[in-house]
Amino acid sequence: MAEQPLDLFQMDSKRKLAMKSGVTVASLLVPEHRESRGEDLVPSDLIAPWYRAVTDMPQSKRSVLLEVGGALAPLFHAGITDLDLDEDITSLGLQVLALVVCKAGEDSASQMLRELKRIERNLPNATTVVVLNYYAGDPIEAIRYVDGDTRKAFLGATKRYPVIKMPRVRPRSMAIFERLQALPSTVVSWHVDNYAEAIRRTGRPRDEAKILVKDIAEWSGIMQDEIVRILPFLSGARDG
């Protein structure tokens, strides 16, 4: 969706979305809110800019993306409950997608299950997708070593919801990529000048810069195929 009309919001202190997208990302954690509203500040005040953009989508013809950090999910859900976003999904005909990301490990699996329960309760009319991030290993393989209740609930969720698998990139390439302020599509384009831009932007020798471009090309290609498989309406955005 990088070339499509898109508004980006972030409820996460890490700010990776802004770094990766290379475009303006509106933060919903602006300290001035508390300074101006004091004790009157409520969760719906924080998410109001995003909420207005979402509910205006039928008129604006724009898409809206919000990244919510795991620790801030309760604050987000308090806000959408105050505003009853689920009612808007049906009354305004909004297409809302909730993507819940899970890495390998019991803590991440438990966090995913908590978030799915919140979405089922607060956004039952949204489309929920589980994203399995293989960065730290295979989440499904790792769940074999987790206690029975969590394992059963996790496996049940991967059968109940559509699943996108986010493949692992070799560690060296991922370490370089995470320091770059560039979209995957930008990194992939660096092959056209015989990798000169890749060498310049990364400050790495030709072999490492070239492997980076090829690794990100393979990774992003798989991701695009996975996403379009689950969300076919995006195939037009990719082709366009």
Side-chain angles (χ1 to χ4, degrees):
M1 298 182 69
E3 303 301 324
Q4 306 303 309
L6 178 66
D7 296 317
L8 300 180
F9 292 84
Q10 188 167 44
M11 185 177 265
D12 190 342
S13 59
K14 294 181 180 178
R15 301 187 181 278
K16 282 189 176 181
L17 183 60
M19 184 176 72
K20 291 301 174 195
S21 65
V23 299
T24 301
V25 178
S27 174
L28 301 182
L29 294 178
V30 183
E32 295 84 73
H33 278 308
R34 185 164 297 281
E35 293 177 7
S36 62
R37 293 180 180 263
E39 295 304 317
D40 291 334
L41 182 69
V42 294
S44 58
D45 292 331
L46 295 176
I47 69 166
W50 170 79
Y51 172 81
R52 293 165 189 162
V54 169
T55 53
D56 191 47
M57 287 193 300
Q59 287 72 42
S60 69
K61 307 302 181 185
R62 299 178 66 81
S63 296
V64 181
L65 184 147
L66 168 64
E67 180 184 19
V68 181
L72 294 166
L75 183 63
F76 167 75
H77 280 279
I80 63 171
T81 300
D82 285 347
L83 297 169
D84 198 358
L85 177 63
D86 196 65
E87 178 185 55
D88 298 314
I89 293 175
T90 55
S91 63
L92 301 178
L94 304 177
Q95 184 172 28
V96 175
L97 307 170
L99 292 91
V100 183
V101 182
C102 179
K103 295 185 292 186
E106 184 172 4
D107 287 347
S108 188
S110 297
Q111 184 177 14
M112 181 196 83
L113 293 171
R114 286 194 299 272
E115 184 59 21
L116 290 175
K117 287 182 179 178
R118 293 186 185 113
I119 293 171
E120 290 171 355
R121 181 176 63 250
N122 301 325
L123 288 174
N125 287 300
T127 298
T128 303
V129 178
V130 170
V131 181
L132 299 181
N133 187 347
Y134 281 62
Y135 177 78
D138 183 339
I140 294 178
E141 177 66 19
I143 205 68
R144 292 175 53 195
Y145 304 98
V146 175
D147 73 79
D149 289 342
T150 301
R151 181 174 66 250
K152 183 177 179 180
F154 177 92
L155 294 175
T158 60
K159 294 177 181 178
R160 188 164 66 255
Y161 297 104
V163 174
I164 290 174
K165 294 183 179 180
M166 187 174 180
R168 183 176 184 267
V169 180
R170 75 180 81 194
R172 181 185 299 176
S173 292
M174 181 53 73
I176 297 172
F177 175 66
E178 287 190 334
R179 292 195 295 270
L180 295 171
Q181 294 188 10
L183 288 166
S185 56
T186 300
V187 175
V188 172
S189 72
W190 291 344
H191 77 282
V192 297
D193 61 356
N194 205 22
Y195 303 101
E197 182 68 9
I199 295 169
R200 185 186 72 81
R201 290 285 297 271
T202 65
R204 310 299 295 180
R206 178 180 176 81
D207 57 323
E208 292 185 18
K210 185 175 182 180
I211 289 173
L212 166 72
V213 173
K214 291 184 175 295
D215 282 350
I216 298 303
E218 179 181 12
W219 174 69
S220 61
I222 294 172
M223 284 299 301
Q224 287 184 24
D225 289 341
E226 283 281 284
I227 292 169
V228 169
R229 176 178 58 82
I230 298 297
L231 310 174
F233 74 92
L234 286 178
S235 61
R238 179 175 63 169
D239 296 339

